[in-house]
Amino acid sequence: MTYYLLPISLTFLILYLFSYVLFKKGYLRRSRHVQIWNILILITFLVSVGAGMILIGLVEYGLALPISKDFLYWHVQVAIAMFAISIFHIHVYWKSFRSYTFGRRSRH
């Protein structure tokens, strides 16, 4: 099975940069830009988890169905998209992410 790490990642990178430029130029409000990417991360999460749960169920009950490979394929493809979108999510919330990850720095 072939997974498309670069094409999926580059596609979402281009889409993110497009919406980011629209936001920076004032054609798109920040809240709308963030909302678009929050919805996309939610959708990819739900699809990936849904396929993963089906795969777990099939493995747990010892079922080797032909559809198992399809679920695995789409589980991985959508997880690749979710990973890329997660990077954009960190970019959007960088200040909060930095303070949670690296701690607050005092201003002296």
Side-chain angles (χ1 to χ4, degrees), residues 5 16 18-19 25 27 33-34 36 38-39 41 51 55 63 66 82 101 103 105 108:
L5 176 66
Y16 180 77
F18 180 70
S19 71
K25 297 275 186 182
Y27 296 111
H33 169 69
V34 170
I36 290 167
N38 283 345
I39 289 169
I41 200 170
L55 288 168
L63 301 173
M82 187 172 58
T101 307
R105 295 184 181 158
H108 290 279

Side-chain angles (χ1 to χ4, degrees), residues 20-104:
Y20 186 73
V21 167
L22 289 177
F23 154 62
K24 282 298 194 180
K25 297 275 186 182
Y27 296 111
L28 196 62
R29 292 188 326 260
R30 182 183 190 279
S31 61
R32 181 64 65 183
H33 169 69
V34 170
Q35 185 181 38
I36 290 167
W37 293 100
N38 283 345
I39 289 169
L40 285 173
I41 200 170
L42 174 65
I43 290 169
T44 57
F45 172 78
L46 292 175
V47 171
S48 184
V49 167
M53 294 302 289
I54 291 170
L55 288 168
I56 288 171
L58 293 173
V59 168
E60 185 68 27
Y61 295 109
L63 301 173
L65 302 175
I67 198 158
S68 299
K69 289 184 180 182
D70 291 332
F71 276 109
L72 178 61
Y73 176 79
W74 286 108
H75 171 71
V76 173
Q77 296 291 74
V78 174
I80 291 169
M82 187 172 58
F83 174 75
I85 295 169
S86 297
I87 299 300
F88 310 147
H89 192 77
I90 290 170
H91 178 256
V92 168
Y93 294 106
W94 176 246
K95 289 180 184 177
S96 297
F97 178 75
R98 186 178 59 193
S99 69
Y100 292 135
T101 307
F102 303 110
R104 298 189 186 274

